[in-house]
Amino acid sequence: MTAKSFDNLGYLSFDISQHLLELLKLECSQALENNDEFTSGLTGPGVATHRYVESPNALQELKELVFSSIDDYRDAFEFDPSDTKTHTYGVPFELGHPWINFQKKHEFIPNHYHEGVFSYSIWIKIPYEDEGTHAGKFEFTYNSVDGQTRNQSITPVEGQMIFFPSKVFHQVYPFYTSDDYRISISGNVMLKT
């Protein structure tokens, strides 16, 4: 007997450079007071607030990292959305405007998916220790080939980035043991059509 799994897409997880992490921390330290607010369909009571990343240096270095992650994802999962036939193959990618998530104790980010073809999250500040099965976790929700709902929880680590297909549902659970902000940066990669 041989057991075989159906192929499925996954996510990449890796540490970002210390230099980029410091640039993003500096941006986050000023953004809550100075940067434009990002309002989405998720915005509302109990949901983390969002501010745009606006530093040209941080945006440029982030763009370089995200674009290199596209190549890593292609290699790991043999998935290339730029080969989608629109009017032509090989449509170029474009970085959407990233945003900072400022999440307070008891706040959450509801289950949702993003626009575009790839998305990412970078954890900048995690002000709590592991709080258990769900609290403070980032979680993917997806269907298996037999139609069952599956969950993949990730314990966030400062300086770590995850990179995944934009249409994969995900959410962030509340945390309970700190009065500091949980800070992350998220964004999307679009096809430039």
Side-chain angles (χ1 to χ4, degrees):
M1 178 173 65
T2 303
K4 298 282 187 181
S5 294
F6 289 104
D7 289 334
N8 206 347
L9 300 176
Y11 66 94
L12 301 177
S13 176
F14 52 90
D15 293 334
I16 66 171
S17 73
Q18 191 62 36
H19 182 260
L20 178 56
L21 181 58
E22 293 305 320
L23 277 176
L24 295 174
K25 282 183 176 180
L26 179 61
E27 175 80 2
C28 292
S29 71
Q30 303 164 1
L32 198 55
E33 299 299 322
N34 300 324
N35 295 16
D36 289 337
E37 185 173 351
F38 168 57
T39 303
S40 73
L42 304 177
T43 302
V47 177
T49 59
H50 314 292
R51 302 285 176 171
Y52 282 113
V53 175
E54 295 179 359
S55 161
N57 291 339
L59 286 169
Q60 180 57 39
E61 196 162 328
L62 186 56
K63 180 179 180 179
E64 291 168 11
L65 174 63
V66 168
F67 277 42
S68 71
S69 299
I70 293 170
D71 293 333
D72 293 337
Y73 199 92
R74 285 175 172 150
D75 292 344
F77 296 103
E78 298 178 2
F79 173 70
D80 186 357
S82 69
D83 282 342
T84 301
K85 187 172 184 179
T86 51
H87 291 291
T88 184
Y89 287 104
V91 176
F93 293 107
E94 181 174 63
L95 187 68
H97 199 157
W99 62 92
I100 305 164
N101 304 294
F102 291 97
Q103 183 179 351
K104 294 188 279 190
K105 182 195 280 189
H106 304 291
E107 290 185 332
F108 69 108
I109 299 176
N111 206 13
H112 67 287
Y113 64 90
H114 290 192
E115 297 300 318
V117 292
F118 289 113
S119 295
Y120 58 90
S121 286
I122 302 170
W123 294 298
I124 304 299
K125 183 178 181 184
I126 306 299
Y128 51 85
E129 298 295 323
D130 189 349
E131 294 187 334
T133 305
H134 295 291
K137 299 279 198 304
F138 179 103
E139 186 174 83
F140 288 114
T141 304
Y142 59 94
N143 290 331
S144 61
V145 294
D146 64 349
Q148 298 296 311
T149 300
R150 305 285 183 193
N151 298 310
Q152 174 72 49
S153 288
I154 300 170
T155 300
V157 175
E158 289 182 10
Q160 192 173 69
M161 175 173 163
I162 56 171
F163 188 85
F164 54 94
S166 295
K167 297 305 182 207
V168 179
F169 278 86
H170 55 284
Q171 62 190 326
V172 180
Y173 287 100
F175 61 91
Y176 301 95
T177 59
S178 174
D179 292 322
D180 288 340
Y181 281 107
R182 176 193 192 273
I183 302 174
S184 63
I185 292 177
S186 300
N188 302 315
V189 177
M190 317 292 203
L191 290 175
K192 188 175 183 180
T193 57

mmCIF file with all atom_site columns, all heavy atoms in Angstrom, residues 138-157:
data_model
loop_
_atom_site.group_PDB
_atom_site.id
_atom_site.type_symbol
_atom_site.label_atom_id
_atom_site.label_alt_id
_atom_site.label_comp_id
_atom_site.label_asym_id
_atom_site.label_entity_id
_atom_site.label_seq_id
_atom_site.pdbx_PDB_ins_code
_atom_site.Cartn_x
_atom_site.Cartn_y
_atom_site.Cartn_z
_atom_site.occupancy
_atom_site.B_iso_or_equiv
_atom_site.pdbx_formal_charge
_atom_site.auth_seq_id
_atom_site.auth_comp_id
_atom_site.auth_asym_id
_atom_site.auth_atom_id
_atom_site.pdbx_PDB_model_num
ATOM 1   N N   . PHE A 1 138 ? -2.461  33.746 14.769 1.00 0.00 ? 138 PHE A N   1
ATOM 2   C CA  . PHE A 1 138 ? -2.861  33.989 13.387 1.00 0.00 ? 138 PHE A CA  1
ATOM 3   C C   . PHE A 1 138 ? -3.322  32.631 12.874 1.00 0.00 ? 138 PHE A C   1
ATOM 4   O O   . PHE A 1 138 ? -2.658  31.623 13.120 1.00 0.00 ? 138 PHE A O   1
ATOM 5   C CB  . PHE A 1 138 ? -1.642  34.479 12.589 1.00 0.00 ? 138 PHE A CB  1
ATOM 6   C CG  . PHE A 1 138 ? -1.914  34.736 11.130 1.00 0.00 ? 138 PHE A CG  1
ATOM 7   C CD1 . PHE A 1 138 ? -2.059  36.033 10.667 1.00 0.00 ? 138 PHE A CD1 1
ATOM 8   C CD2 . PHE A 1 138 ? -1.981  33.690 10.222 1.00 0.00 ? 138 PHE A CD2 1
ATOM 9   C CE1 . PHE A 1 138 ? -2.283  36.278 9.322  1.00 0.00 ? 138 PHE A CE1 1
ATOM 10  C CE2 . PHE A 1 138 ? -2.215  33.923 8.880  1.00 0.00 ? 138 PHE A CE2 1
ATOM 11  C CZ  . PHE A 1 138 ? -2.358  35.218 8.431  1.00 0.00 ? 138 PHE A CZ  1
ATOM 12  N N   . GLU A 1 139 ? -4.453  32.587 12.151 1.00 0.00 ? 139 GLU A N   1
ATOM 13  C CA  . GLU A 1 139 ? -4.962  31.287 11.718 1.00 0.00 ? 139 GLU A CA  1
ATOM 14  C C   . GLU A 1 139 ? -5.496  31.328 10.294 1.00 0.00 ? 139 GLU A C   1
ATOM 15  O O   . GLU A 1 139 ? -6.273  32.199 9.932  1.00 0.00 ? 139 GLU A O   1
ATOM 16  C CB  . GLU A 1 139 ? -6.070  30.828 12.662 1.00 0.00 ? 139 GLU A CB  1
ATOM 17  C CG  . GLU A 1 139 ? -6.566  29.423 12.371 1.00 0.00 ? 139 GLU A CG  1
ATOM 18  C CD  . GLU A 1 139 ? -7.560  28.967 13.410 1.00 0.00 ? 139 GLU A CD  1
ATOM 19  O OE1 . GLU A 1 139 ? -8.752  29.317 13.270 1.00 0.00 ? 139 GLU A OE1 1
ATOM 20  O OE2 . GLU A 1 139 ? -7.151  28.283 14.359 1.00 0.00 ? 139 GLU A OE2 1
ATOM 21  N N   . PHE A 1 140 ? -5.045  30.359 9.493  1.00 0.00 ? 140 PHE A N   1
ATOM 22  C CA  . PHE A 1 140 ? -5.600  30.132 8.159  1.00 0.00 ? 140 PHE A CA  1
ATOM 23  C C   . PHE A 1 140 ? -6.790  29.196 8.280  1.00 0.00 ? 140 PHE A C   1
ATOM 24  O O   . PHE A 1 140 ? -6.797  28.281 9.107  1.00 0.00 ? 140 PHE A O   1
ATOM 25  C CB  . PHE A 1 140 ? -4.574  29.454 7.238  1.00 0.00 ? 140 PHE A CB  1
ATOM 26  C CG  . PHE A 1 140 ? -3.439  30.337 6.810  1.00 0.00 ? 140 PHE A CG  1
ATOM 27  C CD1 . PHE A 1 140 ? -2.149  30.065 7.220  1.00 0.00 ? 140 PHE A CD1 1
ATOM 28  C CD2 . PHE A 1 140 ? -3.655  31.424 5.976  1.00 0.00 ? 140 PHE A CD2 1
ATOM 29  C CE1 . PHE A 1 140 ? -1.084  30.861 6.823  1.00 0.00 ? 140 PHE A CE1 1
ATOM 30  C CE2 . PHE A 1 140 ? -2.614  32.228 5.567  1.00 0.00 ? 140 PHE A CE2 1
ATOM 31  C CZ  . PHE A 1 140 ? -1.315  31.939 5.995  1.00 0.00 ? 140 PHE A CZ  1
ATOM 32  N N   . THR A 1 141 ? -7.803  29.398 7.427  1.00 0.00 ? 141 THR A N   1
ATOM 33  C CA  . THR A 1 141 ? -8.948  28.507 7.320  1.00 0.00 ? 141 THR A CA  1
ATOM 34  C C   . THR A 1 141 ? -9.088  28.136 5.840  1.00 0.00 ? 141 THR A C   1
ATOM 35  O O   . THR A 1 141 ? -9.100  29.018 4.988  1.00 0.00 ? 141 THR A O   1
ATOM 36  C CB  . THR A 1 141 ? -10.240 29.188 7.799  1.00 0.00 ? 141 THR A CB  1
ATOM 37  O OG1 . THR A 1 141 ? -10.049 29.645 9.135  1.00 0.00 ? 141 THR A OG1 1
ATOM 38  C CG2 . THR A 1 141 ? -11.415 28.241 7.757  1.00 0.00 ? 141 THR A CG2 1
ATOM 39  N N   . TYR A 1 142 ? -9.194  26.840 5.550  1.00 0.00 ? 142 TYR A N   1
ATOM 40  C CA  . TYR A 1 142 ? -9.281  26.388 4.160  1.00 0.00 ? 142 TYR A CA  1
ATOM 41  C C   . TYR A 1 142 ? -10.025 25.061 4.108  1.00 0.00 ? 142 TYR A C   1
ATOM 42  O O   . TYR A 1 142 ? -10.236 24.419 5.135  1.00 0.00 ? 142 TYR A O   1
ATOM 43  C CB  . TYR A 1 142 ? -7.870  26.249 3.564  1.00 0.00 ? 142 TYR A CB  1
ATOM 44  C CG  . TYR A 1 142 ? -6.992  25.275 4.309  1.00 0.00 ? 142 TYR A CG  1
ATOM 45  C CD1 . TYR A 1 142 ? -6.888  23.950 3.910  1.00 0.00 ? 142 TYR A CD1 1
ATOM 46  C CD2 . TYR A 1 142 ? -6.291  25.677 5.445  1.00 0.00 ? 142 TYR A CD2 1
ATOM 47  C CE1 . TYR A 1 142 ? -6.104  23.060 4.620  1.00 0.00 ? 142 TYR A CE1 1
ATOM 48  C CE2 . TYR A 1 142 ? -5.503  24.796 6.153  1.00 0.00 ? 142 TYR A CE2 1
ATOM 49  C CZ  . TYR A 1 142 ? -5.414  23.480 5.734  1.00 0.00 ? 142 TYR A CZ  1
ATOM 50  O OH  . TYR A 1 142 ? -4.652  22.599 6.443  1.00 0.00 ? 142 TYR A OH  1
ATOM 51  N N   . ASN A 1 143 ? -10.437 24.679 2.916  1.00 0.00 ? 143 ASN A N   1
ATOM 52  C CA  . ASN A 1 143 ? -11.141 23.407 2.735  1.00 0.00 ? 143 ASN A CA  1
ATOM 53  C C   . ASN A 1 143 ? -10.182 22.349 2.220  1.00 0.00 ? 143 ASN A C   1
ATOM 54  O O   . ASN A 1 143 ? -9.371  22.610 1.329  1.00 0.00 ? 143 ASN A O   1
ATOM 55  C CB  . ASN A 1 143 ? -12.294 23.559 1.745  1.00 0.00 ? 143 ASN A CB  1
ATOM 56  C CG  . ASN A 1 143 ? -13.428 24.382 2.312  1.00 0.00 ? 143 ASN A CG  1
ATOM 57  O OD1 . ASN A 1 143 ? -13.641 24.412 3.521  1.00 0.00 ? 143 ASN A OD1 1
ATOM 58  N ND2 . ASN A 1 143 ? -14.153 25.055 1.454  1.00 0.00 ? 143 ASN A ND2 1
ATOM 59  N N   . SER A 1 144 ? -10.299 21.154 2.774  1.00 0.00 ? 144 SER A N   1
ATOM 60  C CA  . SER A 1 144 ? -9.538  20.023 2.261  1.00 0.00 ? 144 SER A CA  1
ATOM 61  C C   . SER A 1 144 ? -10.272 19.464 1.041  1.00 0.00 ? 144 SER A C   1
ATOM 62  O O   . SER A 1 144 ? -11.399 19.878 0.733  1.00 0.00 ? 144 SER A O   1
ATOM 63  C CB  . SER A 1 144 ? -9.374  18.953 3.332  1.00 0.00 ? 144 SER A CB  1
ATOM 64  O OG  . SER A 1 144 ? -10.640 18.469 3.735  1.00 0.00 ? 144 SER A OG  1
ATOM 65  N N   . VAL A 1 145 ? -9.656  18.515 0.345  1.00 0.00 ? 145 VAL A N   1
ATOM 66  C CA  . VAL A 1 145 ? -10.270 17.997 -0.880 1.00 0.00 ? 145 VAL A CA  1
ATOM 67  C C   . VAL A 1 145 ? -11.581 17.261 -0.616 1.00 0.00 ? 145 VAL A C   1
ATOM 68  O O   . VAL A 1 145 ? -12.396 17.118 -1.521 1.00 0.00 ? 145 VAL A O   1
ATOM 69  C CB  . VAL A 1 145 ? -9.294  17.074 -1.658 1.00 0.00 ? 145 VAL A CB  1
ATOM 70  C CG1 . VAL A 1 145 ? -8.122  17.865 -2.168 1.00 0.00 ? 145 VAL A CG1 1
ATOM 71  C CG2 . VAL A 1 145 ? -8.851  15.899 -0.815 1.00 0.00 ? 145 VAL A CG2 1
ATOM 72  N N   . ASP A 1 146 ? -11.810 16.827 0.633  1.00 0.00 ? 146 ASP A N   1
ATOM 73  C CA  . ASP A 1 146 ? -13.080 16.165 0.947  1.00 0.00 ? 146 ASP A CA  1
ATOM 74  C C   . ASP A 1 146 ? -14.122 17.143 1.485  1.00 0.00 ? 146 ASP A C   1
ATOM 75  O O   . ASP A 1 146 ? -15.167 16.745 1.977  1.00 0.00 ? 146 ASP A O   1
ATOM 76  C CB  . ASP A 1 146 ? -12.861 15.012 1.938  1.00 0.00 ? 146 ASP A CB  1
ATOM 77  C CG  . ASP A 1 146 ? -12.347 15.476 3.287  1.00 0.00 ? 146 ASP A CG  1
ATOM 78  O OD1 . ASP A 1 146 ? -11.958 16.656 3.411  1.00 0.00 ? 146 ASP A OD1 1
ATOM 79  O OD2 . ASP A 1 146 ? -12.321 14.653 4.221  1.00 0.00 ? 146 ASP A OD2 1
ATOM 80  N N   . GLY A 1 147 ? -13.836 18.463 1.376  1.00 0.00 ? 147 GLY A N   1
ATOM 81  C CA  . GLY A 1 147 ? -14.802 19.483 1.761  1.00 0.00 ? 147 GLY A CA  1
ATOM 82  C C   . GLY A 1 147 ? -14.808 19.845 3.229  1.00 0.00 ? 147 GLY A C   1
ATOM 83  O O   . GLY A 1 147 ? -15.627 20.644 3.669  1.00 0.00 ? 147 GLY A O   1
ATOM 84  N N   . GLN A 1 148 ? -13.907 19.268 4.009  1.00 0.00 ? 148 GLN A N   1
ATOM 85  C CA  . GLN A 1 148 ? -13.834 19.582 5.434  1.00 0.00 ? 148 GLN A CA  1
ATOM 86  C C   . GLN A 1 148 ? -13.106 20.912 5.643  1.00 0.00 ? 148 GLN A C   1
ATOM 87  O O   . GLN A 1 148 ? -12.165 21.236 4.928  1.00 0.00 ? 148 GLN A O   1
ATOM 88  C CB  . GLN A 1 148 ? -13.081 18.477 6.191  1.00 0.00 ? 148 GLN A CB  1
ATOM 89  C CG  . GLN A 1 148 ? -13.757 17.123 6.109  1.00 0.00 ? 148 GLN A CG  1
ATOM 90  C CD  . GLN A 1 148 ? -15.120 17.112 6.761  1.00 0.00 ? 148 GLN A CD  1
ATOM 91  O OE1 . GLN A 1 148 ? -15.284 17.573 7.890  1.00 0.00 ? 148 GLN A OE1 1
ATOM 92  N NE2 . GLN A 1 148 ? -16.104 16.601 6.051  1.00 0.00 ? 148 GLN A NE2 1
ATOM 93  N N   . THR A 1 149 ? -13.562 21.681 6.614  1.00 0.00 ? 149 THR A N   1
ATOM 94  C CA  . THR A 1 149 ? -12.888 22.924 6.970  1.00 0.00 ? 149 THR A CA  1
ATOM 95  C C   . THR A 1 149 ? -11.679 22.587 7.833  1.00 0.00 ? 149 THR A C   1
ATOM 96  O O   . THR A 1 149 ? -11.792 21.862 8.814  1.00 0.00 ? 149 THR A O   1
ATOM 97  C CB  . THR A 1 149 ? -13.832 23.865 7.736  1.00 0.00 ? 149 THR A CB  1
ATOM 98  O OG1 . THR A 1 149 ? -14.953 24.160 6.905  1.00 0.00 ? 149 THR A OG1 1
ATOM 99  C CG2 . THR A 1 149 ? -13.126 25.163 8.102  1.00 0.00 ? 149 THR A CG2 1
ATOM 100 N N   . ARG A 1 150 ? -10.528 23.103 7.436  1.00 0.00 ? 150 ARG A N   1
ATOM 101 C CA  . ARG A 1 150 ? -9.279  22.872 8.165  1.00 0.00 ? 150 ARG A CA  1
ATOM 102 C C   . ARG A 1 150 ? -8.743  24.212 8.662  1.00 0.00 ? 150 ARG A C   1
ATOM 103 O O   . ARG A 1 150 ? -8.989  25.252 8.051  1.00 0.00 ? 150 ARG A O   1
ATOM 104 C CB  . ARG A 1 150 ? -8.232  22.229 7.265  1.00 0.00 ? 150 ARG A CB  1
ATOM 105 C CG  . ARG A 1 150 ? -8.672  20.962 6.592  1.00 0.00 ? 150 ARG A CG  1
ATOM 106 C CD  . ARG A 1 150 ? -8.687  19.809 7.552  1.00 0.00 ? 150 ARG A CD  1
ATOM 107 N NE  . ARG A 1 150 ? -9.040  18.591 6.851  1.00 0.00 ? 150 ARG A NE  1
ATOM 108 C CZ  . ARG A 1 150 ? -9.379  17.477 7.447  1.00 0.00 ? 150 ARG A CZ  1
ATOM 109 N NH1 . ARG A 1 150 ? -9.410  17.424 8.762  1.00 0.00 ? 150 ARG A NH1 1
ATOM 110 N NH2 . ARG A 1 150 ? -9.678  16.411 6.757  1.00 0.00 ? 150 ARG A NH2 1
ATOM 111 N N   . ASN A 1 151 ? -7.997  24.176 9.752  1.00 0.00 ? 151 ASN A N   1
ATOM 112 C CA  . ASN A 1 151 ? -7.371  25.366 10.316 1.00 0.00 ? 151 ASN A CA  1
ATOM 113 C C   . ASN A 1 151 ? -5.884  25.114 10.499 1.00 0.00 ? 151 ASN A C   1
ATOM 114 O O   . ASN A 1 151 ? -5.489  24.009 10.880 1.00 0.00 ? 151 ASN A O   1
ATOM 115 C CB  . ASN A 1 151 ? -7.985  25.719 11.674 1.00 0.00 ? 151 ASN A CB  1
ATOM 116 C CG  . ASN A 1 151 ? -9.452  26.036 11.553 1.00 0.00 ? 151 ASN A CG  1
ATOM 117 O OD1 . ASN A 1 151 ? -9.852  26.831 10.719 1.00 0.00 ? 151 ASN A OD1 1
ATOM 118 N ND2 . ASN A 1 151 ? -10.271 25.418 12.373 1.00 0.00 ? 151 ASN A ND2 1
ATOM 119 N N   . GLN A 1 152 ? -5.099  26.132 10.237 1.00 0.00 ? 152 GLN A N   1
ATOM 120 C CA  . GLN A 1 152 ? -3.656  26.082 10.474 1.00 0.00 ? 152 GLN A CA  1
ATOM 121 C C   . GLN A 1 152 ? -3.299  27.297 11.317 1.00 0.00 ? 152 GLN A C   1
ATOM 122 O O   . GLN A 1 152 ? -3.328  28.422 10.820 1.00 0.00 ? 152 GLN A O   1
ATOM 123 C CB  . GLN A 1 152 ? -2.900  26.103 9.144  1.00 0.00 ? 152 GLN A CB  1
ATOM 124 C CG  . GLN A 1 152 ? -1.393  26.209 9.266  1.00 0.00 ? 152 GLN A CG  1
ATOM 125 C CD  . GLN A 1 152 ? -0.765  24.932 9.765  1.00 0.00 ? 152 GLN A CD  1
ATOM 126 O OE1 . GLN A 1 152 ? -1.049  23.868 9.253  1.00 0.00 ? 152 GLN A OE1 1
ATOM 127 N NE2 . GLN A 1 152 ? 0.067   25.030 10.772 1.00 0.00 ? 152 GLN A NE2 1
ATOM 128 N N   . SER A 1 153 ? -3.015  27.086 12.592 1.00 0.00 ? 153 SER A N   1
ATOM 129 C CA  . SER A 1 153 ? -2.670  28.183 13.494 1.00 0.00 ? 153 SER A CA  1
ATOM 130 C C   . SER A 1 153 ? -1.174  28.428 13.478 1.00 0.00 ? 153 SER A C   1
ATOM 131 O O   . SER A 1 153 ? -0.382  27.498 13.400 1.00 0.00 ? 153 SER A O   1
ATOM 132 C CB  . SER A 1 153 ? -3.101  27.864 14.928 1.00 0.00 ? 153 SER A CB  1
ATOM 133 O OG  . SER A 1 153 ? -4.491  27.938 15.040 1.00 0.00 ? 153 SER A OG  1
ATOM 134 N N   . ILE A 1 154 ? -0.806  29.705 13.597 1.00 0.00 ? 154 ILE A N   1
ATOM 135 C CA  . ILE A 1 154 ? 0.594   30.103 13.639 1.00 0.00 ? 154 ILE A CA  1
ATOM 136 C C   . ILE A 1 154 ? 0.781   30.983 14.867 1.00 0.00 ? 154 ILE A C   1
ATOM 137 O O   . ILE A 1 154 ? 0.039   31.940 15.075 1.00 0.00 ? 154 ILE A O   1
ATOM 138 C CB  . ILE A 1 154 ? 0.986   30.887 12.375 1.00 0.00 ? 154 ILE A CB  1
ATOM 139 C CG1 . ILE A 1 154 ? 0.763   30.031 11.122 1.00 0.00 ? 154 ILE A CG1 1
ATOM 140 C CG2 . ILE A 1 154 ? 2.426   31.367 12.450 1.00 0.00 ? 154 ILE A CG2 1
ATOM 141 C CD1 . ILE A 1 154 ? 0.904   30.802 9.834  1.00 0.00 ? 154 ILE A CD1 1
ATOM 142 N N   . THR A 1 155 ? 1.782   30.653 15.659 1.00 0.00 ? 155 THR A N   1
ATOM 143 C CA  . THR A 1 155 ? 2.155   31.512 16.779 1.00 0.00 ? 155 THR A CA  1
ATOM 144 C C   . THR A 1 155 ? 3.072   32.595 16.233 1.00 0.00 ? 155 THR A C   1
ATOM 145 O O   . THR A 1 155 ? 4.147   32.295 15.711 1.00 0.00 ? 155 THR A O   1
ATOM 146 C CB  . THR A 1 155 ? 2.876   30.705 17.874 1.00 0.00 ? 155 THR A CB  1
ATOM 147 O OG1 . THR A 1 155 ? 1.998   29.679 18.345 1.00 0.00 ? 155 THR A OG1 1
ATOM 148 C CG2 . THR A 1 155 ? 3.287   31.599 19.028 1.00 0.00 ? 155 THR A CG2 1
ATOM 149 N N   . PRO A 1 156 ? 2.655   33.868 16.294 1.00 0.00 ? 156 PRO A N   1
ATOM 150 C CA  . PRO A 1 156 ? 3.479   34.929 15.705 1.00 0.00 ? 156 PRO A CA  1
ATOM 151 C C   . PRO A 1 156 ? 4.793   35.123 16.457 1.00 0.00 ? 156 PRO A C   1
ATOM 152 O O   . PRO A 1 156 ? 4.848   35.009 17.682 1.00 0.00 ? 156 PRO A O   1
ATOM 153 C CB  . PRO A 1 156 ? 2.594   36.173 15.800 1.00 0.00 ? 156 PRO A CB  1
ATOM 154 C CG  . PRO A 1 156 ? 1.583   35.861 16.842 1.00 0.00 ? 156 PRO A CG  1
ATOM 155 C CD  . PRO A 1 156 ? 1.424   34.384 16.892 1.00 0.00 ? 156 PRO A CD  1
ATOM 156 N N   . VAL A 1 157 ? 5.844   35.418 15.693 1.00 0.00 ? 157 VAL A N   1
ATOM 157 C CA  . VAL A 1 157 ? 7.176   35.674 16.239 1.00 0.00 ? 157 VAL A CA  1
ATOM 158 C C   . VAL A 1 157 ? 7.660   36.995 15.662 1.00 0.00 ? 157 VAL A C   1
ATOM 159 O O   . VAL A 1 157 ? 7.593   37.211 14.451 1.00 0.00 ? 157 VAL A O   1
ATOM 160 C CB  . VAL A 1 157 ? 8.154   34.536 15.854 1.00 0.00 ? 157 VAL A CB  1
ATOM 161 C CG1 . VAL A 1 157 ? 9.566   34.859 16.316 1.00 0.00 ? 157 VAL A CG1 1
ATOM 162 C CG2 . VAL A 1 157 ? 7.680   33.207 16.419 1.00 0.00 ? 157 VAL A CG2 1
#
